[in-house]
Amino acid sequence: MLATVRELLIEAEKKQCAVGAFNVPNLESLRGVIQAAEMLEVPVIIQHAEVHENLISIEEIGPLMVDYAKRARVPVAVHLDHGSSLVECIKAIRLGFTSIMYDASLKNYETNVKETSELVKIAHSVGVSVEAELGEMTNSTIGGGEGRTSKISDFGNIDLFTNPQQAKDFIQSTQVDSLAISFGTVHGKYLTEPNLDFDRIASIRLATDGVPLVMHGGSGVSKGDYRRAIEAGIRKINYYTYMNLAAGKSVKDTIEHSQNEEFFFDILSLTATTAIKENIVQALKIFNLK
């Protein structure tokens, strides 16, 4: 059933858990995520990241995402991840997405507030949730990152982290429904053990009166760190890289260990879907405290 991110995060707050949000740039990932959510009977967010336009356009994958969400046996929100312009966000809304993220985090603060506020007014007028980002995320040099300009050498640089008082002002000024914050995670594959600033999450949550906080770069974090982040106030966790790796490994292993010809549609596609589902099941169990 189709839902908004706002609706799912309200329920997550009541249950003190987090909703998993997964980028789905092909049919295998879309099927795997929905199957995992239905198996566990938990809500889920499916996302199209603008940086994945090189893999599939929003015009191609968007209608499929909305259709799968409507037919799912669990609440499913359809979300635009890291939308970079008003044009792209409006395009997602017209396709039936129930939530958008407008990312102006690399622009100066005043511009971020101004542009995000304008988009919030448009989105809220048609019942669409809005996520924004404050602070700068580090991008891993290993594949799976989301094309941000910061580098792995910035990992752990607290000057890039979200400031709690600025977050309070930003939310009051823009009226966003949720806020992605920087506290030590990275987009892509971790090259070193993450050192997450859980106190910062708690401080931001306190300063912003419990507005749902979002973890980007959620793949590869330990179970204990996920739980600590959720306890501190994280209510949405973006996860992509490690399910992508799981699918690739499963296909590679199948080809290497089989004595038969491997047909893509009959074997490799289904192998990848199953691997994604199994990986997502484990993540959703952690996020939903199961």
Side-chain angles (χ1 to χ4, degrees):
M1 63 196 75
L2 191 62
T4 67
V5 169
R6 182 176 183 275
E7 291 168 339
L8 301 189
L9 297 187
I10 288 174
E11 287 301 309
E13 178 61 28
K14 292 178 181 177
K15 297 177 181 178
Q16 297 292 288
C17 65
V19 184
F22 307 94
N23 290 340
V24 288
N26 57 26
L27 198 55
E28 288 79 12
S29 55
L30 178 55
R31 285 175 169 168
V33 171
I34 296 294
Q35 288 173 13
E38 290 183 333
M39 176 181 171
L40 295 178
E41 298 182 333
V42 298
V44 72
I45 300 165
I46 51 177
Q47 305 185 148
H48 174 71
E50 190 177 322
V51 294
H52 288 158
E53 286 285 312
N54 64 317
L55 302 178
I56 191 167
S57 71
I58 191 171
E59 289 87 355
E60 294 174 274
I61 195 66
L64 284 173
M65 293 168 66
V66 173
D67 180 61
Y68 268 71
K70 288 179 177 178
R71 293 189 291 112
R73 298 193 303 271
V74 295
V76 179
V78 182
H79 179 72
L80 175 67
D81 187 34
H82 289 288
S84 65
S85 69
L86 177 63
V87 171
E88 290 302 314
C89 291
I90 294 299
K91 187 185 298 183
I93 292 172
R94 287 176 173 168
L95 285 169
F97 282 45
T98 61
S99 180
I100 56 173
M101 177 200 179
Y102 179 61
D103 184 4
S105 60
L106 296 183
K107 299 181 180 181
N108 65 59
Y109 179 73
E110 291 73 21
T111 301
N112 192 352
V113 169
K114 179 178 182 294
E115 294 183 356
T116 302
S117 298
E118 292 173 353
L119 193 54
V120 167
K121 291 177 183 177
I122 295 171
H124 282 183
S125 72
V126 290
V128 171
S129 306
V130 179
E131 174 187 328
E133 183 170 330
L134 195 61
E136 189 171 337
M137 281 288 301
T138 302
N139 182 39
S140 170
T141 56
I142 296 295
E146 295 186 7
R148 308 306 297 277
T149 58
S150 50
K151 300 177 181 179
I152 194 64
S153 59
D154 292 324
F155 181 61
N157 181 356
I158 63 173
D159 291 336
L160 301 178
F161 291 177
T162 307
N163 178 280
Q165 290 306 309
Q166 192 176 62
K168 177 181 179 179
D169 177 78
F170 183 84
I171 289 172
Q172 290 177 343
S173 300
T174 63
Q175 297 298 300
V176 292
D177 299 288
S178 59
L179 184 66
I181 60 172
S182 174
F183 59 96
T185 57
V186 303
H187 287 123
K189 186 176 179 180
Y190 282 97
L191 304 180
T192 61
E193 187 73 21
N195 183 22
L196 307 184
D197 189 344
F198 302 104
D199 290 338
R200 186 173 297 265
I201 302 172
S203 296
I204 295 170
R205 176 177 169 79
L206 182 63
T208 57
D209 296 322
V211 169
L213 303 178
V214 181
M215 172 195 281
H216 283 214
S219 289
V221 175
S222 70
K223 180 178 179 179
D225 280 355
Y226 279 131
R227 293 289 174 84
R228 288 184 66 187
I230 293 168
E231 183 179 346
I234 292 295
R235 293 293 171 260
K236 173 177 179 274
I237 299 176
N238 284 20
Y239 185 103
Y240 171 72
T241 299
Y242 282 65
M243 78 176 197
N244 192 4
L245 288 169
K249 183 178 185 302
S250 70
V251 170
K252 179 182 178 182
D253 290 346
T254 299
I255 292 173
E256 288 181 346
H257 296 100
S258 176
Q259 302 301 314
N260 303 313
E261 289 184 311
E262 300 300 349
F263 295 96
F264 179 79
F265 301 119
D266 301 276
I267 298 175
L268 298 183
S269 176
L270 296 178
T271 296
T273 300
T274 299
I276 290 168
K277 174 186 174 181
E278 292 173 351
N279 187 269
I280 298 303
V281 163
Q282 296 307 311
L284 287 175
K285 284 182 178 179
I286 297 172
F287 302 165
N288 288 274
L289 310 181
K290 290 183 177 289

